[in-house]
Amino acid sequence: MTADPGDTGTPLTADRNDTGTPVTADPGEPPPPMTIAVRITDADGAFLAYAGGILELVSPAPFAPGAPTRFEVDGIPLEGKSLGSKRRPDGDFHVRFRLINLRREHRLRLEALAG
């Protein structure tokens, strides 16, 4: 039996290719979403987007339109008024907030998070 000239001696596994080097994500595949810490009404949520003074979050609870709320996004204390909530298939809520009393440095950090 002859040895394969390209054989590195490393067995093929799901995380290694035929040269034995680790397999990375497909370049055409989007990177996995970045998790940004959100604390809203004593529960954990998720950051979705920020643009034009409107912040979009995933929340375990709905908020009526106009409801004032305080929350933290990546350690930034924020205050906003709900623009409404929509139930998601996973049971959580997609909530949009119009931010009020937003400081310039907080706005810049949110814009950086939104990328």
Side-chain angles (χ1 to χ4, degrees), residues 47-57 73 78 83 94-100 102 106-115:
F47 175 88
L48 293 175
Y50 172 76
I54 306 298
L55 180 67
E56 297 183 43
L57 304 174
V73 174
L78 300 169
L83 296 174
H94 180 148
V95 186
R96 296 176 65 225
F97 290 98
R98 178 179 51 85
L99 297 180
I100 53 178
L102 184 61
H106 294 165
R107 178 180 50 81
L108 293 174
R109 281 184 57 197
L110 286 172
E111 289 172 351
L113 290 173

Side-chain angles (χ1 to χ4, degrees), residues 16-76:
R16 296 204 175 264
N17 63 17
D18 60 350
T19 62
T21 57
V23 175
T24 58
D26 178 9
E29 190 176 298
M34 182 173 62
T35 304
I36 298 171
V38 174
R39 190 79 180 150
I40 184 167
T41 62
D42 298 326
D44 292 329
F47 175 88
L48 293 175
Y50 172 76
I54 306 298
L55 180 67
E56 297 183 43
L57 304 174
V58 174
S59 169
F63 292 88
T69 307
R70 292 177 188 233
F71 42 89
E72 281 188 12
V73 174
D74 199 35
I76 307 168

Side-chain angles (χ1 to χ4, degrees), residues 82-101:
S82 171
L83 296 174
S85 305
K86 289 186 182 179
R87 184 180 293 274
R88 295 165 31 118
D90 63 4
D92 285 337
F93 294 87
H94 180 148
V95 186
R96 296 176 65 225
F97 290 98
R98 178 179 51 85
L99 297 180
I100 53 178
N101 300 330

